[in-house]
Amino acid sequence: MNDKKVYIIGAGISGLVAAYELEAVGYRPVILEASSSIGGRLKTDVKDGYLLDRGFQIFLTGYREAKKYLNYDTLNLKYFDGDMVILRTDGTIHVTDPLKNPAGIISMAFSKVGNIKDKIKLLQMVTSVLSKSDEEIFSQPDLTTEEFFLAKGFSPEIIFNFLNPLYRGIFLEEKLTTSSNMFEFVFKMFNKGKAAVPELGMQEIPNQLYSRLKQTELRLNTKVINIEGKKITIENEDAIDADEIICACKPDYLGDELKNKFINYHDGKYNQVTNIYYAIQRSFIAQPIIGLVPGENFLINNLHFPTDISAAYSTTGKALLSVSIVNDVSTINDLEETIADELQQLSGVDSRYFEHIHTYKIKKALPKIVSPTYDFIPTQVQLDKHIYLAGDHLVNASLNGAMISGRRAAEAIILNDSVGKPEYLGPISTSGMEVQS
Ligand SMILES: Cc1cc2nc3c(=O)[nH]c(=O)nc-3n(C[C@H](O)[C@H](O)[C@H](O)COP(=O)(O)OP(=O)(O)OC[C@H]3O[C@@H](n4cnc5c(N)ncnc54)[C@H](O)[C@@H]3O)c2cc1C
């Protein structure tokens, strides 16, 4: 047992993983969480008989780090089909997953989505990304994703109809400025494994992580307002003296001292999304696939029926529809009606049948990271002698990135604690990275 008082600020994925790693070697950490529940940006609400994930999120089973921490069987994962449907006012186009159905390549030659060369390029890209390690992908020179599509020679049709709406919906941005290395990583994950959601919603992921903690104390509704040295100041409570502190949230919320040290890692900009849920008698897609809406004529970027993936998302007998909008819609007053009208145009179903359930406006959804990485050396995010960082903003905006960052913060504490002791193993290195002294 290690009696050092380690405090973790934030019960998101990175904080929960940090606690797990610390527990594994005998620490009994305390998690201080500002909100009333665990999960951070990964939460599922229950409303009117529906499970509502806060923003459309998918779990990619190919994530290497997630395999260390999650039991996929007990999550009872429900899978998306690799196909997609493109919704246009002149009709829908089914896009076949080339790996699952290579024969679909022929029909592509005649479709409006792209041309046969595009499909061959996509297949070549699959082979290319699967041959690279995750670390290699992130260490390549990069372009923006938009520049990358052009540099690869994809036709304007496939970029417009398929690549743009799909990756706008993943990176949550109107213009695809996210690094092409992040694009390649996500593209690899789609092709290495499957896209899934736990049967009972995305919150099952943090719930499972938390259920594995046996020696960790969790304090909810505990907002940290400042850290100075080893002193943690909590809103409306007495200050705490810690031995070690992990900030598993953005440290610029926690006082100027940290803010000034932190600016090297993330410029503070986020991509945002608006996610609207409707109930309707029946799914107009009726398959576990994502619908993409190309072009500028619609606010809707992508949609899917969570109940087509997991029936447990609704207990009312109705289908649940999730719509994602990446444009800034803050000035639109009748947003839910406007989107219902768009749904009518795209599906032919009268807008009055779309019963609004809930709208999430998520301003700080994904940290904009100019140069994402796969991993980092633990000591790189040691802000000072006793303060360490964790969080997806340090590596790349994904559950996998959040998990790696949590593990690395815990490893840094464990490593520093072992210096001078017989079990000291020397600096930890990460593959493909130089160990800094
Ligand atoms: C809409 C949306 C879609 C996404 N889609 C995907 C996807 O499809 N696939 C994927 O892999 N990833 C996706 N992500 C990203 C993924 O959810 C995040 O990478 C991950 O959840 C980040 O975890 P974290 O621990 O780094 O941070 P967070 O989840 O932000 O956790 C930080 C925690 O710290 C707490 N906190 C903050 N300030 C304080 C304070 N002062 N005192 C105490 N506690 C504090 C917060 O309440 C929060 O619980 C998506 C995210 C969003 C929002």
Side-chain angles (χ1 to χ4, degrees):
M1 199 63 75
N2 189 315
D3 287 329
K4 266 203 161 173
K5 289 178 284 176
V6 181
Y7 285 85
I8 299 168
I9 304 169
I13 297 298
S14 62
L16 294 169
V17 165
Y20 179 81
E21 289 290 347
L22 288 167
E23 267 199 14
V25 291
Y27 293 81
R28 289 176 296 174
V30 179
I31 302 181
L32 308 174
E33 167 56 46
S35 74
S36 58
S37 60
I38 61 164
R41 273 169 280 153
L42 196 60
K43 288 190 181 169
T44 305
D45 296 311
V46 182
K47 188 177 178 195
D48 301 341
Y50 300 100
L51 296 178
L52 309 179
D53 291 331
R54 290 192 192 172
F56 173 35
Q57 304 214 29
I58 45 177
F59 177 68
L60 296 168
T61 60
Y63 284 153
R64 231 166 69 205
E65 193 74 5
K67 289 183 184 145
K68 295 181 193 166
Y69 298 108
L70 297 174
N71 179 332
Y72 293 3
D73 289 338
T74 48
L75 281 177
N76 204 1
L77 293 176
K78 302 289 173 188
Y79 300 101
F80 285 80
D81 195 322
D83 293 0
M84 312 250 167
V85 64
I86 295 169
L87 301 163
R88 304 185 351 169
T89 43
D90 59 354
T92 58
I93 307 167
H94 201 95
V95 182
T96 313
D97 179 347
L99 288 185
K100 210 182 63 186
N101 178 12
I105 204 164
I106 304 299
S107 62
M108 188 74 171
F110 305 102
S111 92
K112 297 175 204 152
V113 177
N115 56 44
I116 187 117
K117 283 191 193 150
D118 290 324
K119 202 80 178 214
I120 292 167
K121 284 197 176 92
L122 283 175
L123 279 172
Q124 285 170 339
M125 215 156 66
V126 172
T127 316
S128 161
V129 292
L130 289 177
S131 71
K132 297 177 209 171
S133 71
D134 298 337
E135 288 83 353
E136 278 168 342
I137 286 177
F138 280 102
S139 57
Q140 304 171 119
D142 62 349
L143 300 166
T144 68
T145 297
E146 184 178 77
E147 289 164 350
F148 183 80
F149 292 159
L150 294 172
K152 284 281 166 195
F154 284 111
S155 73
E157 288 75 27
I158 197 157
I159 293 177
F160 176 85
N161 284 305
F162 178 62
L163 292 172
N164 271 355
L166 177 58
Y167 283 92
R168 283 169 50 143
I170 292 171
F171 297 147
L172 309 180
E173 56 190 0
E174 286 181 56
K175 208 168 149 49
L176 289 173
T177 57
T178 293
S179 160
S180 56
N181 290 345
M182 189 65 190
F183 162 76
E184 284 201 38
F185 174 65
V186 174
F187 187 77
K188 176 179 171 183
M189 291 302 111
F190 267 114
N191 287 288
K192 183 179 159 199
K194 289 181 167 183
V197 291
E199 181 184 29
L200 296 177
M202 289 298 280
Q203 174 122 26
E204 288 298 292
I205 292 175
N207 286 354
Q208 188 182 90
L209 291 174
Y210 182 62
S211 73
R212 299 180 72 181
L213 300 179
K214 304 294 175 216
Q215 300 291 332
T216 298
E217 183 189 341
L218 171 66
R219 293 194 204 160
L220 297 173
N221 304 307
T222 305
K223 184 175 179 187
V224 174
I225 49 175
N226 199 19
I227 300 176
E228 256 183 294
K230 293 162 108 181
K231 194 177 277 301
I232 302 174
T233 310
I234 298 173
E235 197 172 60
N236 304 325
E237 281 186 41
D238 293 339
I240 294 174
D241 287 318
D243 290 321
E244 310 287 353
I245 302 166
I246 294 177
C247 285
C249 63
K250 283 290 299 302
D252 43 350
Y253 305 156
L254 304 178
D256 287 342
E257 190 195 349
L258 295 191
K259 190 176 181 176
N260 294 336
K261 289 180 181 168
F262 172 69
I263 43 177
N264 295 336
Y265 297 103
H266 176 230
D267 65 5
K269 294 195 180 123
Y270 281 83
N271 290 345
Q272 58 94 42
V273 68
T274 301
N275 177 214
I276 309 183
Y277 284 97
Y278 299 90
I280 184 169
Q281 215 57 38
R282 271 189 303 279
S283 162
F284 58 77
I285 293 183
Q287 290 176 74
I289 60 179
I290 298 171
L292 303 173
V293 183
E296 305 301 323
N297 294 338
F298 291 91
L299 291 172
I300 300 174
N301 182 75
N302 57 283
L303 55 83
H304 75 292
F305 283 87
T307 38
D308 285 346
I309 325 298
S310 164
Y313 272 70
S314 164
T315 55
T316 67
K318 291 186 181 170
L320 180 68
L321 170 62
S322 165
V323 174
S324 297
I325 302 155
V326 294
N327 298 29
D328 180 2
V329 285
S330 51
T331 55
I332 300 180
N333 291 327
D334 53 352
L335 181 65
E336 287 76 13
E337 293 76 21
T338 305
I339 297 301
D341 287 342
E342 289 193 1
L343 289 168
Q344 176 174 330
Q345 290 180 60
L346 292 167
S347 68
V349 178
D350 193 303
S351 63
R352 286 170 300 173
Y353 293 117
F354 293 95
E355 177 195 339
H356 177 241
I357 302 296
H358 197 79
T359 300
Y360 292 103
K361 293 185 177 171
I362 307 170
K363 290 275 169 240
K364 293 187 172 179
L366 297 179
K368 247 185 195 312
I369 303 170
V370 179
S371 300
T373 59
Y374 185 75
D375 199 347
F376 55 83
I377 301 161
T379 45
Q380 272 183 323
V381 287
Q382 184 172 354
L383 278 193
D384 72 11
K385 211 160 173 234
H386 302 285
I387 304 176
Y388 303 79
L389 295 181
D392 63 347
H393 54 91
L394 301 168
V395 264
N396 64 74
S398 69
L399 298 174
N400 198 69
M403 287 178 176
I404 289 178
S405 73
R407 172 168 61 80
R408 287 304 193 188
E411 284 172 351
I413 289 181
I414 297 163
L415 181 73
N416 285 346
D417 226 6
S418 70
V419 174
K421 295 182 184 161
E423 70 271 21
Y424 179 59
L425 297 172
I428 297 172
S429 72
T430 65
S431 60
M433 295 177 86
E434 293 290 318
V435 177
Q436 292 178 346
S437 56

